[in-house]
Amino acid sequence: MKELLKKYYNVNENIIEENSKCTFIKNNKKYLFIPFERTEEEFSELFSLNEELITKNIPTSLFILNKQNNYITIEDNQKYILLEMPLENQEYNVLDMMKFHNQLIISSKKSILYRNKWAELWSKKIDYFEYQVRELGRDKPIILNSFSYYSGLAENAISYINNTIKKHQPTVSERITLQRKRINFPNLSCDYFNPLNYIIDLEVRDIASYFKSLFFESKENLKIEMNAYFKNKKLSLYGYQLLYARLLYPSFYFDIYENVMEGKKEEKELLKIINQVEEYEIFLKEMFQLLHSFAPIDPIEWLIKES
């Protein structure tokens, strides 16, 4: 990748290459060079969205042109993007995220960046993962011994979403905003303002993703951030149900699972998740009680019975 930076961008600075990405500083500006895995149609919408953020003085990283005056660099059928990133890698908490959500409210017009069909997307993923485990997972004992539990939890989340849509109606408070594929703790500006991470969705998506990451990375901060969020944010019954559904869905397991199946991580990294399964069940029970104190959200019967 260093050679590509020299070839397409005339970059000869001290380039740090790590985990399929390169970073460097030039003229007191920080840059990230990374593979681009999305379609050109998606890039067109991401670029337009980024331009709107820039116009409104909302922080975001910048797309950088290569020597051929293109934003997407293609070499050996692989696409790459160069981004100018925030120089200072600041951390953003839940209150910062809420402020950001208020800055850009997006209409419900059709967009390929809009990820509103959660249950359908999750169902397709689970079907594919189940096929993978059957065909390719025979030499992966940790996955074989844990997958059925997490796929079952995912099925719970899918049913919860479908029942919510049938029983409850969204209100005007269910705002469509700029969200991220994933939010991790610590939530750093290099990730939070990376346009390649942007999607369009309901604002509970980022919050649920952040809470799940906090559970596994910093339970002390989880309590602080949850208190801050629920003190300053009121959702509708529909919104609380969607938040709970996203907490049910074990993206934290499937993210590592996908990396294991692609050879990017060792299978033993799943143990960090698996070894906290009982604690996460307790967290789900406590979250149910908390959300139920705000609105009569539907229970998950097996979790209630175990309480």
Side-chain angles (χ1 to χ4, degrees):
M1 291 180 71
K2 292 181 179 180
E3 292 302 317
L4 297 181
L5 283 169
K6 294 176 183 177
K7 179 179 178 181
Y8 290 98
Y9 300 91
N10 291 328
V11 172
N12 293 291
E13 275 68 22
N14 292 325
I15 300 169
I16 300 172
E17 185 170 359
E18 184 180 13
N19 297 328
S20 300
K21 65 181 181 181
C22 289
T23 56
F24 61 94
I25 295 176
K26 183 176 182 178
N27 297 328
N28 207 33
K29 294 179 180 178
K30 186 176 182 179
Y31 295 89
L32 172 68
F33 187 58
I34 191 169
F36 182 66
E37 307 294 346
R38 301 170 81 165
T39 66
E40 294 194 23
E41 186 180 5
E42 284 181 302
F43 174 78
S44 179
E45 291 209 28
L46 285 170
F47 187 84
S48 296
L49 182 59
N50 222 43
E51 290 290 287
E52 183 177 354
L53 294 174
I54 294 167
T55 300
K56 294 182 177 180
N57 293 317
I58 300 173
T60 187
S61 298
L62 307 177
F63 293 109
I64 304 299
L65 289 165
N66 62 23
K67 290 195 297 185
Q68 284 74 38
N69 213 36
N70 295 317
Y71 288 105
I72 299 176
T73 295
I74 303 176
E75 180 84 4
D76 295 331
N77 295 318
Q78 173 65 58
K79 300 173 185 174
Y80 300 88
I81 291 281
L82 181 63
L83 296 168
E84 182 187 324
M85 309 291 286
L87 187 60
E88 298 297 328
N89 210 5
Q90 298 178 355
E91 184 176 343
Y92 287 77
N93 63 22
V94 72
L95 295 179
D96 298 321
M97 292 161 62
M98 290 171 66
K99 181 179 178 181
F100 186 90
H101 293 163
N102 290 332
Q103 290 179 304
L104 186 68
I105 308 302
I106 299 169
S107 72
S108 58
K109 66 180 181 179
K110 183 176 176 59
S111 168
I112 58 173
L113 300 178
Y114 189 19
R115 301 290 195 271
N116 62 324
K117 296 181 179 179
W118 299 350
E120 181 181 324
L121 292 169
W122 292 346
S123 293
K124 289 179 179 178
K125 267 197 166 187
I126 298 306
D127 288 344
Y128 177 66
F129 292 161
E130 287 176 344
Y131 164 80
Q132 270 191 322
V133 171
R134 286 195 306 270
E135 299 297 321
L136 305 172
R138 296 173 186 173
D139 62 341
K140 295 178 173 57
I142 295 175
I143 287 176
L144 289 175
N145 291 328
S146 62
F147 181 82
S148 61
Y149 173 84
Y150 290 99
S151 64
L153 198 58
E155 293 292 347
N156 275 201
I158 292 165
S159 296
Y160 205 85
I161 287 287
N162 288 331
N163 290 335
T164 297
I165 293 171
K166 288 177 184 176
K167 292 173 60 177
H168 308 290
Q169 293 296 318
T171 69
V172 292
S173 65
E174 270 68 63
R175 298 181 306 174
I176 300 168
T177 70
L178 180 60
Q179 299 287 288
R180 278 81 181 157
K181 291 181 180 179
R182 287 287 182 271
I183 297 281
N184 295 311
F185 176 83
N187 182 25
L188 302 176
S189 53
C190 63
D191 298 316
Y192 195 60
F193 297 127
N194 183 343
L196 303 190
N197 198 22
Y198 293 165
I199 57 171
I200 295 170
D201 208 337
L202 298 174
E203 59 184 318
V204 294
R205 180 193 182 106
D206 276 2
I207 300 302
S209 183
Y210 187 53
F211 285 170
K212 285 189 282 189
S213 181
L214 277 164
F215 175 86
F216 290 102
E217 301 298 334
S218 178
K219 291 181 178 62
E220 182 178 343
N221 278 298
L222 173 61
K223 292 180 180 179
I224 295 170
E225 295 287 66
M226 282 176 54
N227 287 337
Y229 180 71
F230 292 114
K231 181 180 179 181
N232 290 278
K233 184 68 178 181
K234 297 293 183 289
L235 302 172
S236 68
L237 172 57
Y238 184 83
Y240 285 120
Q241 294 248 150
L242 292 184
L243 176 60
Y244 196 59
R246 293 205 70 92
L247 293 173
L248 278 169
Y249 184 74
S251 52
F252 42 83
Y253 176 90
F254 294 129
D255 286 348
I256 299 174
Y257 163 87
E258 286 187 278
N259 280 314
V260 171
M261 298 303 282
E262 292 170 7
K264 296 177 181 177
K265 287 188 176 181
E266 296 290 327
E267 189 187 13
K268 63 183 180 181
E269 293 199 35
L270 281 167
L271 293 175
K272 176 183 178 181
I273 303 300
I274 296 166
N275 289 340
Q276 297 186 68
V277 63
E278 292 182 1
E279 290 180 74
Y280 196 75
E281 282 188 14
I282 292 170
F283 169 65
L284 287 175
K285 295 170 192 175
E286 291 175 345
M287 282 300 300
F288 170 78
Q289 296 297 335
L290 176 62
L291 299 184
H292 197 265
S293 71
F294 301 134
I297 68 169
D298 298 331
I300 302 294
E301 294 300 334
W302 67 268
L303 273 174
I304 298 300
K305 288 178 181 178
E306 289 188 13
S307 297

